[in-house]
Amino acid sequence: MHSLRQLEGSQMQGVARRSTLTVSGLVLGLSGLLTSTASASEGWRLEQPLDSTVNRIYYGVTATGANDAWTVGSTWTGSAEVPVAVRWDGTKWADTTPAPVTGTSARFTQVSASAPDNVWAAGDRTVEVGTRQVADPRRPRPARVAATGSSTLVQRWDGKTWTDIERPKPPAGMEGFTSDIAAFSPKSVWLVSYDYDFKTNKSVDHLEHWTGKAWEQVEIPQTGARPLRPSRVGGTGDDDLWVSASSVAADGKETPFLLHWNGAGWRQIEVPVPSDYRTGWLVNHVVPDGRGSAYVVGRVNEWNATGIPAFVTRWDGQKWSSLPSGPFDEINAAALDGSGKLWTAGWVPGDAHVLMSVWNGIEWRKDALPPEVAKTADGSSILGFAAVPGTPGVLTSGVGSSGGLESTWGVLASLDLP
């Protein structure tokens, strides 16, 4: 299992992302101050009772309308992670059956849908990659056991069943992970993934486009001698696509960029950061805000070492407009709700339970998950938000945990839904 803080870090560019498989204790509260202590609302409700989501983690959430929504993640069987995909059909939430997955364990970490019959889930699976030697005092020679590694996992729901979509295997010595996915049609899906070598700390990042038959590697504009590394993808369609990326200098200092694809060419925009920092800044969320504009959320390129607030800025197609310092020093999830308000999630000092904040155009205002989460779990994390089209509402997904992740509950909650 993973620490709550590293659940989000495993999907990011930069230092934090390299800790994907580290196991640690329950997340502690992050530093940072809310700019308002007023409650944004009291309307959040659990979509599933926690006693029905034991041993689960919900990573991603998406919706195409009030009668079609999904959350994906994994459940712990006692010996392995197994992917889960749960669907709302307008009446109830119910598990669907993912396509068979080769390997010893697997999880879905991202989900995106353009229609009820075009839902894409992505994540990673653990597979055997050969053998390794293990010293055994009972044997005169080291024993050889199966060696495992991770590779990316992508599946599509066509309205009736899940189908596994074949992915290229990572190069020898490397492991594959998913960063983000955006689906616009059955013949147009964008995927950000990376291959990582745990021995050398080297990585290769990929932006790929599914054409309906195959994955095509997509080259993005570069800057200087060091390549731009994609990290997130989203947009309103194939002619309004956003990709966050970063350039990393030889000393590890990271410079964030935002790239826009208009269907014919790329535009590269450097993201303004609040101040100079020795290891730079990175972008961990891009939130499209209508055609041609987007919010960018980022933080310093260190694993929460300083307490410097996260930044949020908006590109309107011509210029940047930075929002006041955000509530948290690390934002774990971000998205617009159905009415266009920006939601973020993170922690404040001394509280292991995640808080949410919404930008109302004037100030950040905080909110919390339903009280059942704190009554059941020692700590919690939000890992995804999604607007529900046709409503002013929003869904959120995540996990509650106790005993250092010995016990978990998938958390799925909604606000302002019918």
Side-chain angles (χ1 to χ4, degrees):
M1 302 289 282
H2 309 268
S3 79
L4 296 188
R5 293 218 358 228
Q6 285 160 347
L7 296 178
E8 191 267 349
S10 69
Q11 299 158 30
M12 284 196 303
Q13 198 66 274
V15 174
R17 194 182 68 177
R18 309 315 177 194
S19 301
T20 307
L21 303 180
T22 302
V23 178
S24 63
L26 185 67
V27 61
L28 299 177
L30 301 180
S31 60
L33 295 175
L34 290 168
T35 59
S36 171
T37 58
S39 174
S41 75
E42 298 179 355
W44 285 94
R45 69 185 184 206
L46 286 179
E47 289 290 308
Q48 292 181 300
L50 295 184
D51 60 9
S52 70
T53 65
V54 174
N55 293 329
R56 291 193 171 193
I57 297 174
Y58 289 147
Y59 288 88
V61 63
T62 191
T64 65
N67 296 324
D68 181 65
W70 292 82
T71 185
V72 300
S74 67
T75 186
W76 182 250
T77 66
S79 59
E81 278 186 289
V82 177
V84 295
V86 190
R87 181 190 183 195
W88 170 255
D89 64 3
T91 303
K92 64 184 183 304
W93 290 93
D95 286 6
T96 60
T97 303
V101 177
T102 58
T104 58
S105 64
R107 60 178 180 166
F108 290 140
T109 58
Q110 304 288 339
V111 64
S112 180
S114 65
D117 60 354
N118 188 52
V119 184
W120 290 70
D124 50 76
R125 71 185 103 196
T126 301
V127 296
E128 291 189 8
V129 292
T131 61
R132 60 186 175 90
Q133 289 188 341
V134 177
D136 187 340
R138 299 168 298 177
R139 300 174 182 267
R141 296 186 180 90
R144 298 197 68 83
V145 299
T148 60
S150 293
S151 64
T152 51
L153 169 68
V154 179
Q155 294 192 3
R156 175 180 178 252
W157 172 264
D158 64 3
K160 297 180 180 179
T161 60
W162 287 97
T163 301
D164 196 69
I165 305 298
E166 186 175 354
R167 291 278 301 116
K169 294 181 180 179
M174 305 191 84
E175 301 188 35
F177 302 93
T178 298
S179 296
D180 208 358
I181 193 168
F184 299 128
S185 76
K187 296 183 178 180
S188 181
V189 182
W190 297 79
L191 178 74
V192 178
S193 65
Y194 64 98
D195 299 323
Y196 184 68
D197 188 329
F198 282 90
K199 293 181 180 179
T200 65
N201 204 35
K202 303 289 186 181
S203 69
V204 179
D205 301 81
H206 308 282
L207 175 64
E208 298 167 82
H209 184 229
W210 174 257
T211 64
K213 295 182 179 179
W215 294 101
E216 294 183 347
Q217 290 282 338
V218 179
E219 298 295 328
I220 59 176
Q222 300 300 302
T223 178
R226 303 188 68 84
L228 282 180
R229 300 157 55 180
S231 56
R232 294 283 183 170
V233 63
T236 64
D238 284 323
D239 59 352
D240 183 39
L241 184 79
W242 299 99
V243 176
S244 64
S246 62
S247 174
V248 184
D251 61 0
K253 190 171 184 178
E254 189 155 344
T255 301
F257 289 85
L258 184 64
L259 303 170
H260 185 252
W261 172 257
N262 65 6
W266 290 98
R267 182 180 184 182
Q268 181 191 100
I269 312 129
E270 185 169 347
V271 177
V273 296
S275 63
D276 185 58
Y277 191 72
R278 60 185 181 84
T279 56
W281 296 75
L282 57 83
V283 170
N284 52 3
H285 301 286
V286 175
V287 182
D289 182 27
R291 289 186 59 83
S293 60
Y295 287 96
V296 170
V297 176
R299 63 171 177 83
V300 293
N301 185 31
E302 284 191 351
W303 195 216
N304 192 44
T306 62
I308 296 175
F311 72 87
V312 181
T313 185
R314 182 178 181 273
W315 174 255
D316 66 4
Q318 299 296 327
K319 65 183 185 303
W320 291 100
S321 299
S322 293
L323 276 63
S325 295
F328 317 113
D329 63 2
E330 185 165 339
I331 292 173
N332 216 37
L336 302 183
D337 62 19
S339 65
K341 295 191 295 293
L342 178 67
W343 285 84
T344 65
W347 295 271
V348 295
D351 191 349
H353 283 286
V354 71
L355 288 176
M356 294 170 281
S357 63
V358 61
W359 175 250
N360 63 11
I362 301 174
E363 62 181 353
W364 291 102
R365 307 194 68 178
K366 72 176 182 179
D367 211 341
L369 288 169
E372 293 91 334
V373 177
K375 291 178 181 178
T376 303
D378 293 339
S380 56
S381 179
I382 286 174
L383 302 173
F385 283 114
V388 181
T391 80
V394 62
L395 288 164
T396 190
S397 57
V399 59
S401 175
S402 293
L405 287 171
E406 289 297 322
S407 301
T408 64
W409 298 263
V411 173
L412 183 62
S414 65
L415 177 69
D416 292 339
L417 294 184

